[in-house]
Amino acid sequence: MNEASTRNKFYSYIEQTWTITEEQLNELKDKPLASFIVSKETDVVGIPETKFYLKLQMARESIDKNGFFLYLCFSRPKNSSKIRAKYSFFVKSENYSTQFDNIFYPEKTTGWGDEICPVEKFFKRNFIFHGKCIIEIKGILIFEEINEMPKIVMESAVLSRALWEKDEKDFKIEVENEGNIMVHKNVISARSTYFERMLNSGMKEAITNSVKIIDFNLKTVKTAIEFFYDRNIFESLNFDDAFDLLRFSDKYQIIDLQDKLELHLIYQLSPSTVCKLSNGSIYSNSVKLREICTNFLMICSKHSIPIDDLKNLDRDFAAELFLKTFSPFD
C-alpha cells in the first residue's frame, strides 16, 4: 500500500487522562439515576469544531442495582461526518481496561461506552486510589467522509513578502560544497533562538555575517529560510524532506517550524504511513511524533488493524513497542 492509497481516510489519534475525586463520585452516587459528570473537552486534531470528552453516568444495572457507565462523547456540528472510533478505557489502579469499536453518527449518537462497575462494588475495589479515580482513554478516530484533508496553511503577510523579494539580505549561510543562501539577520534571529544567540554573542559568525553548515543539504536550508519569510513550504513537502527539515529545526531551535512540521506529519498518520513516520521521528529527534506513533501502533495492535511495512520498523523502536504492547497498563 502506498502513501496515497488511504488519502480518502483521515486518522486522528486521541488521548485524555481524567481525574475524578472521591468526593465527586460520592456526590454522583447520591444523585438521581441518569445523573452524570463529564471531563473537559479536547480538540480532535485536524477536524475543525470537533471535540471529544468522557462521561461517567450512574444508571440502572438491574432492578435493584445501579452502575457507573463510562462513555466517549463528541461535541461537533450537526452536518459533520460519521466517526469510526477504536478506543480503550483504562483505570490502572484497578488493572481495568476495556475496548470498543463504534460508529458515531452526528445526529443519532450521543456517546458509546458500557458499564464500568456496579456502584457499590466501585467503592470497595481499587478504582479509587489516594482519593482519586484516574480514567484514561486512548484511541483512533477514522473519518471517511470529510470534504478536504487537513493541511498546514501559511499566510504570508505583506512585510514578509516584501522582505523575501528584497536583495539587501545581510547574512550568508554557506552550505558545504553546494552553495550559499542569503537571509536578513533580523529575520533569522527572530525565527531561531540558536541564531539569535550566535549573532548577539560577538562570535566570528556575527563579525563576518556568515555561517557554515556542513550537516544539512542546500535544499533543507533553503526550505527553512523560505519558512522564515512565511512562504508556503508544506504544499509539496514529501516525508524525507520533512524529516530533514524537522531535524534542522530541532538543531537550530526553530520552535514554530518544528511545531508545524510535527502537525503536518501527524496529519499524514495512517496504518500505511505509521512505520515510516516512526522511523522519521527517530531520525529527526521528534519526541512528540515518536510518542504519537507509539500510541497509534499500540491501538492498532489492540484492535487488530493491519499495518504496512512493519518489517522496516527501527529495531530498537520495535523492541520497545513490543514491551509496551504486552504491558496492558503502560
Side-chain angles (χ1 to χ4, degrees):
M1 192 181 298
N2 59 36
E3 288 178 20
S5 62
T6 57
R7 286 296 172 87
N8 60 318
K9 291 185 180 181
F10 177 69
Y11 294 78
S12 185
Y13 174 75
I14 61 170
E15 181 176 14
Q16 188 184 104
T17 300
W18 183 21
T19 300
I20 310 171
T21 66
E22 187 171 4
E23 181 180 3
Q24 288 175 299
L25 291 164
N26 277 311
E27 289 178 359
L28 181 60
K29 179 187 69 173
D30 295 333
K31 287 183 177 179
L33 287 177
S35 297
F36 60 87
I37 55 176
V38 297
S39 71
K40 68 176 183 179
E41 292 187 342
T42 302
D43 291 330
V44 174
V45 173
I47 305 297
E49 301 180 77
T50 301
K51 301 175 184 292
F52 74 92
Y53 61 95
L54 307 185
K55 179 171 74 172
L56 185 67
Q57 180 172 339
M58 189 176 65
R60 187 173 297 284
E61 177 197 3
S62 62
I63 295 177
D64 58 348
K65 290 184 179 179
N66 302 326
F68 282 139
F69 286 71
L70 183 61
Y71 302 97
L72 169 64
C73 305
F74 290 92
S75 170
R76 55 188 173 135
K78 289 184 178 180
N79 62 348
S80 56
S81 65
K82 70 179 181 182
I83 303 172
R84 177 79 177 267
K86 296 175 180 285
Y87 57 102
S88 298
F89 293 127
F90 305 91
V91 182
K92 294 178 182 177
S93 61
E94 173 57 22
N95 288 342
Y96 171 87
S97 69
T98 185
Q99 61 189 52
F100 299 92
D101 183 349
N102 299 122
I103 296 178
F104 293 76
Y105 295 93
E107 296 184 354
K108 298 178 182 178
T109 311
T110 56
W112 276 110
D114 205 349
E115 182 191 13
I116 187 171
C117 185
V119 172
E120 295 305 320
K121 291 183 179 179
F122 189 95
F123 288 90
K124 294 177 181 178
R125 290 165 60 178
N126 294 319
F127 285 101
I128 302 172
F129 185 69
H130 291 327
K132 297 176 182 178
C133 175
I134 300 176
I135 299 172
E136 296 180 46
I137 182 174
K138 295 182 180 181
I140 297 172
L141 308 182
I142 306 170
F143 298 83
E144 298 184 4
E145 300 172 356
I146 58 175
N147 295 325
E148 185 178 3
M149 294 295 286
K151 60 183 179 181
I152 303 294
V153 177
M154 296 289 294
E155 296 184 4
S156 181
V158 173
L159 177 59
S160 58
R161 287 200 303 270
L163 287 171
W164 173 256
E165 293 167 1
K166 279 187 173 294
D167 293 329
E168 299 86 20
K169 300 179 176 70
D170 53 359
F171 189 76
K172 181 169 68 174
I173 300 177
E174 302 176 37
V175 182
E176 190 173 44
N177 299 325
E178 289 196 63
N180 307 322
I181 184 168
M182 299 297 296
V183 63
H184 292 93
K185 283 192 291 186
N186 287 340
V187 170
I188 199 171
S189 295
R191 304 309 289 264
S192 164
T193 53
Y194 180 97
F195 286 111
E196 181 185 27
R197 287 197 301 269
M198 173 192 291
L199 293 172
N200 291 329
S201 67
M203 294 169 60
K204 179 183 70 173
E205 290 84 358
I207 297 170
T208 62
N209 289 327
S210 66
V211 65
K212 289 184 179 181
I213 290 180
I214 62 173
D215 47 355
F216 294 93
N217 61 39
L218 186 62
K219 182 180 181 181
T220 297
V221 178
K222 279 185 173 180
T223 306
I225 298 304
E226 286 188 46
F227 175 82
F228 292 167
Y229 291 91
D230 297 323
R231 310 284 291 175
N232 190 358
I233 65 170
F234 297 96
E235 198 68 37
S236 58
L237 197 65
N238 64 41
F239 281 166
D240 290 337
D241 289 342
F243 297 143
D244 280 332
L245 201 55
L246 190 53
R247 189 166 64 93
F248 183 88
S249 66
D250 175 65
K251 177 171 181 177
Y252 292 104
Q253 301 167 16
I254 312 166
I255 304 302
D256 55 343
L257 176 56
Q258 187 172 18
D259 289 344
K260 285 182 170 61
L261 281 166
E262 287 172 337
L263 186 57
H264 169 76
L265 291 168
I266 289 167
Y267 283 168
Q268 320 305 315
L269 188 61
S270 75
S272 66
T273 63
V274 63
C275 288
K276 189 172 184 67
L277 291 174
S278 299
N279 292 342
S281 73
I282 298 167
Y283 169 77
S284 60
N285 197 33
S286 172
V287 176
K288 179 179 180 180
L289 182 60
R290 176 176 177 145
E291 182 179 357
I292 288 178
C293 287
T294 298
N295 290 329
F296 189 95
L297 283 163
M298 289 176 67
I299 293 296
C300 288
S301 174
K302 286 181 180 294
H303 291 268
S304 301
I305 300 174
I307 297 296
D308 286 7
D309 300 322
L310 270 174
K311 64 181 182 298
N312 296 326
L313 196 60
D314 177 88
R315 290 185 178 181
D316 291 337
F317 182 94
E320 181 181 334
L321 177 67
F322 180 85
L323 293 175
K324 285 179 175 289
T325 300
F326 289 95
S327 176
F329 304 106
D330 196 305

